[in-house]
Structures are given as structure tokens and as C-alpha cells.
Amino acid sequence: MNDHGRFSISEFAKFSRTTRDTLLHYDRIGLLKPVSRGENNYRYYSSNMLPVVKVIRLLQKLGMSLEEIKELNDRRTPRLTVEQLELQIEKIDSNIDDWIRARKLLYTLKTTISSVLNADITDITIQYLPAEAIVMGDLNDFTQNRENHTVELEFYQKMQMKYPNMDLDYMFWSNFSEERIKNRDWVYPDRFYFYNPEGHDRRPAGLYAIGYAICGYGQGVELYSKMIDYIDANGFEVCGDAYEEYPLNELCVRDNNHYLMRVLISVREKTADSLRR
């Protein structure tokens, strides 16, 4: 520091985490003048100017132009400053929920993709899975040859009505009842669901048979037969719903015939009664 304890422009730029060119520009447009000039015409700044730089940069991030900030600065009074700060606080508050929801969505997508990066997709396994927050739709209506997109649209419409304040931008997957799985009927899902940290439903904790198939949407139905045979051959039986999802999809895979389908089927070890049947 020089000039009786004041910061040079280079020192102040470093201290305020900005750049020398930015401070020169602020000076040129009359937004932030140095507190003094040395005999060599060097600019010097005070540590008291740090909050001013911070506010200028914050206001820019909130969408104000330097011209608007300068106009506010030129007309500044305590009351006007308070009013403007209140306005910017309201703007931040109005965006907080959006940012929180965006983070939850991105985190859920990242977690879903990461969950299969190191998985052995060539084998069927039995694993314990903890409960997972989901949003489960109502029973689907595929009668009268209704097409998939019609049923999917109906699902979204019902979700919007049921959860008007919930983020519905998550990818949704297919759910099959225990009865359907036992009857080897897995073409049209009973329900749709999606993972969401705010979901009021749960995919129950418990043992699941887990299998994978590399395929496009709706092209991996043969995996179910393999899994049912595996479950029976290894001393287990189906005891709950099946969940079909695509952790690797168009978000991260370019070829739509090479997505990764994962099927989770709720199972338990066979009881003495079931062994006798």
C-alpha cells in the first residue's frame, strides 16, 4: 500500500477480486472514482470502497446495466438506496425456489446416471435397496387401444392438477404390479412414476432383483422373462412391484437404440409354503 495507506489500483483489484481494467472502466464512466491520485497520477483506493464494488457486481448479476447502476449512484439517497436494495432482495427471493428446484433436478439426474456407471450390466443380481422418494401416478388406462402418448399426456395432466406446486420436469418410468409380473404381462405399465426428492410416495426398501438391457424404449421386454427365471432358480419369489427405468437415455447417450434399461423387481426368499407349491 502507498499514498498514506491506500491501495494502488492493482492492489485494490486483487483485494476486491476484480480486475484493473474493470476499475479503470468504472472510473471512466464515473461510477467508481479513486479516492485520490498520487503525484504520478496513479489511482488509489480505500478499503471502505470494497462493499461498493461488491454491490455493483451483485447488481450486474441481477440484471442491471452499468448505466442503470450509475444513474442510481448519481441520484443516491439513503431512502432511494433502501428502496433499491429491497427491490433486489425481492428479486433474489423470487428466484431462490427456482434455483433450489433446478439443483434438485440436476442432482437427481446426476445420481441416476452415476448409479450405473460402475454396474455389471451383464448379470442379474439380488440386492437390498433403501426406500426412495418417488411420485406415483394413478392407474393407467390402456383400454380401447389408447396410444402411449395419450396415456402419458393424461399422466402429466393429472400430476399438474394433483401437485400444482411440484416440479414435474423429471423423467418418468414404468411401474408393473406384482400380479402383472407373476402373470408375465409387462407390455403396458400399470402406472408411471418419477424420482423426486419432494415425492410423497416411496419405492419400498427391500430386496430387489436387478437386471439390465441395452436397448431403445420399450424394446427390452425379454429381460423380464430372464429375470423371472433367475428369481425362481435362485430360491426367491416375486413379492411386490417392478420398476422399469432408463438411467442412460437421450440425456447422455446419442444412439436411441443403445439406452440402458434397468428393471427392479421386488423379491423375497421363498417360504416353506411356496416351496411346496
Side-chain angles (χ1 to χ4, degrees):
M1 292 199 299
N2 303 290
D3 192 43
H4 307 294
R6 301 190 187 279
F7 295 95
S8 70
I9 187 170
S10 296
E11 291 169 333
F12 189 71
K14 183 177 180 180
F15 195 29
S16 62
R17 296 182 179 180
T18 186
T19 67
R20 185 175 181 275
D21 287 344
T22 297
L23 294 174
L24 287 173
H25 183 61
Y26 288 172
D27 187 8
R28 280 194 298 271
I29 66 175
L31 179 58
L32 184 71
K33 294 286 187 181
V35 293
S36 65
R37 295 264 191 154
E39 293 180 0
N40 51 11
N41 206 33
Y42 285 177
R43 295 167 173 81
Y44 292 97
Y45 295 82
S46 165
S47 60
N48 292 335
M49 301 173 75
L50 282 171
V52 179
V53 175
K54 184 67 174 179
V55 170
I56 291 172
R57 295 175 67 189
L58 277 173
L59 293 177
Q60 281 188 281
K61 287 183 179 179
L62 291 170
M64 290 186 69
S65 67
L66 288 178
E67 290 76 13
E68 291 171 325
I69 297 171
K70 184 181 182 304
E71 181 183 352
L72 175 65
N73 184 60
D74 292 343
R75 298 187 297 112
R76 67 184 182 274
T77 65
R79 186 175 298 280
L80 180 61
T81 301
V82 167
E83 290 175 357
Q84 187 57 230
L85 292 177
E86 286 179 346
L87 179 64
Q88 298 306 319
I89 290 170
E90 290 174 4
K91 185 182 295 186
I92 292 173
D93 288 343
S94 68
N95 289 320
I96 285 177
D97 286 344
D98 290 339
W99 281 111
I100 290 175
R101 288 184 175 184
R103 187 186 187 282
K104 288 179 179 178
L105 173 61
L106 295 180
Y107 183 82
T108 299
L109 293 173
K110 184 209 76 166
T111 301
T112 300
I113 295 171
S114 299
S115 69
V116 297
L117 291 183
N118 298 316
D120 181 2
I121 64 173
T122 63
D123 199 11
I124 298 171
T125 59
I126 304 291
Q127 298 180 34
Y128 175 85
L129 297 179
E132 189 83 26
I134 63 174
V135 177
M136 184 70 77
D138 296 335
L139 283 171
N140 293 327
D141 179 9
F142 280 101
T143 60
Q144 299 179 351
N145 297 318
R146 300 183 81 208
E147 297 182 354
N148 277 339
H149 74 271
T150 302
V151 179
E152 292 170 0
L153 177 60
E154 189 173 75
F155 164 73
Y156 269 117
Q157 290 172 337
K158 287 183 177 180
M159 288 296 98
Q160 289 172 343
M161 293 177 60
K162 191 172 182 180
Y163 304 108
N165 298 317
M166 182 178 289
D167 184 1
L168 301 177
D169 293 332
Y170 294 78
M171 294 179 174
F172 68 91
W173 312 122
S174 299
N175 168 264
F176 297 89
S177 68
E178 176 182 353
E179 181 181 4
R180 293 277 305 285
I181 294 300
K182 287 181 175 179
N183 290 334
R184 295 177 177 259
D185 176 14
W186 39 66
V187 176
Y188 298 108
D190 289 286
R191 305 171 188 267
F192 293 124
Y193 73 96
F194 57 86
Y195 293 105
N196 187 320
E198 301 175 7
H200 304 299
D201 304 306
R202 290 291 183 273
R203 187 198 68 204
L207 290 176
Y208 287 85
I210 305 175
Y212 302 90
I214 296 176
C215 60
Y217 287 133
Q219 297 175 4
V221 292
E222 67 275 6
L223 174 61
Y224 283 93
S225 295
K226 294 178 182 178
M227 292 182 68
I228 295 301
D229 292 341
Y230 176 91
I231 291 167
D232 182 63
N234 285 271
F236 290 88
E237 61 184 357
V238 176
C239 69
D241 290 358
Y243 301 82
E244 176 188 308
E245 52 203 37
Y246 289 76
L248 305 186
N249 50 64
E250 59 265 51
L251 187 66
C252 57
V253 176
R254 286 174 288 180
D255 188 340
N256 59 12
N257 290 313
H258 284 77
Y259 296 160
L260 182 66
M261 181 177 85
R262 174 171 58 190
V263 173
L264 315 173
I265 302 177
S266 181
V267 299
R268 66 185 174 202
E269 292 187 38
K270 289 182 178 179
T271 63
D273 288 342
S274 62
L275 288 171
R276 284 195 293 267
R277 290 199 293 267

